[in-house]
Amino acid sequence: MKNEADQPEQRWIQGLHQAYLRNRRMKQWLVTGVQIAILLLLFVLWEIAGRLKWIDVLLFSYPSKIFTQMGKDALSGELWGHVGVTVGETMAGFLLGTLLGTLLAVLIWWSPFLSRVLDPYMVVFNSMPKVALGPIFIVMFGAGFTAILMTTLSITVIITTLVVYNSFQEVDPNLVKVVRTFGGTRRDTFQKVILPASFPAIVSTLKVNVGMAWVGVIVGEFLVAKNGLGYLIIYGFQVFNFTLVMSSLLIIAVVATLMYQAVVYVEHRLLSGRPHR
């Protein structure tokens, strides 16, 4: 009898939940629709401004010319090699930078003495313009993939280390005290408290590193590459083909957005089952 009495209430709660989900999906579709509309409007205004000479077409080109340039390069097959090189370098710098930065943050947290020693060096290195290190990497590793990767790592590793280490430091100290009270070692504290509590910050660092990895790779390609999207940008400037420059920038924006959305999807899948604090 009690179960039968509870059924209307359960159906009512389920109905509210379904209505909430529908409302959230509608809001998401609305946001996406407005974003697409703004993007299309910007392209239309850009096209009109270029056609009517409101802007300097030599410098800014306009969408129809850019898409024509992209289509021609794609059909000739020349574009895909440059895209593949840059994406490969970016993925390598992105994944390796995140891994090394996280491991360095763990090492610093594990040794308070090492943390105090390295703290000023990390601050100075983080404030240093990484472009200035490019020529040094070229001399050390040669004009190739390794120099570009090291330029990227000089950006992604330090950012990851600082963000992840700060997340370790912000964990509720009362949780650490509980583990220590029950005789837990520093390893137990890290495995059972620090790492689980910092996992969202570590995953979120991936989103930051997407942009940082692209910056490092493009800067590296500016300096040493003979192929890749960064090379196309420099080549376009040299021959005054700014349509090629703008098409390369547009491709970078699209691929970087796809990488970012892939990280957001991974983050959602990994964190969806975690309780909110």
Side-chain angles (χ1 to χ4, degrees), residues 73-74 76-89 221 226-229 231-232:
D73 292 341
S76 68
E78 181 181 355
L79 177 64
W80 305 115
H82 293 291
V83 173
V85 167
T86 301
V87 171
E89 293 167 345
E221 289 184 347
K226 295 181 179 179
N227 48 26
L229 295 174
Y231 165 78
L232 289 182

Side-chain angles (χ1 to χ4, degrees), residues 84-101:
V85 167
T86 301
V87 171
E89 293 167 345
T90 305
M91 291 297 297
F94 166 69
L95 295 175
L96 192 58
T98 302
L99 177 61
L100 292 178

Side-chain angles (χ1 to χ4, degrees), residues 205-253:
T205 306
L206 295 174
K207 294 189 287 188
V208 176
N209 275 351
V210 169
M212 295 296 100
W214 275 99
V215 171
V217 167
I218 297 303
V219 168
E221 289 184 347
F222 281 172
L223 297 173
V224 302
K226 295 181 179 179
N227 48 26
L229 295 174
Y231 165 78
L232 289 182
I233 293 173
I234 292 296
Y235 176 76
F237 277 118
Q238 291 173 343
V239 300
F240 288 91
N241 185 354
F242 291 97
T243 300
L244 177 61
V245 173
M246 297 302 293
S247 66
S248 300
L249 291 174
L250 184 59
I251 292 170
I252 290 173

Side-chain angles (χ1 to χ4, degrees), residues 18 189 231:
Q18 293 297 327
T189 302
Y231 165 78

Side-chain angles (χ1 to χ4, degrees), residues 146-206:
T146 305
I148 295 174
L149 179 62
M150 292 305 298
T151 303
T152 307
L153 292 180
S154 69
I155 299 175
T156 56
V157 170
I158 191 66
I159 292 295
T160 302
T161 301
L162 292 174
V163 172
V164 175
Y165 177 69
N166 286 335
S167 71
F168 289 168
Q169 295 293 94
E170 293 172 359
V171 174
D172 188 351
N174 292 321
L175 298 177
V176 176
K177 290 178 181 178
V178 170
V179 176
R180 294 288 179 85
T181 300
F182 285 96
T185 62
R186 192 163 183 80
R187 180 175 181 178
D188 294 328
T189 302
F190 180 78
Q191 290 180 339
K192 299 182 183 300
V193 177
I194 301 298
L195 184 60
S198 304
F199 190 65
I202 295 173
V203 177
S204 296
T205 306
L206 295 174

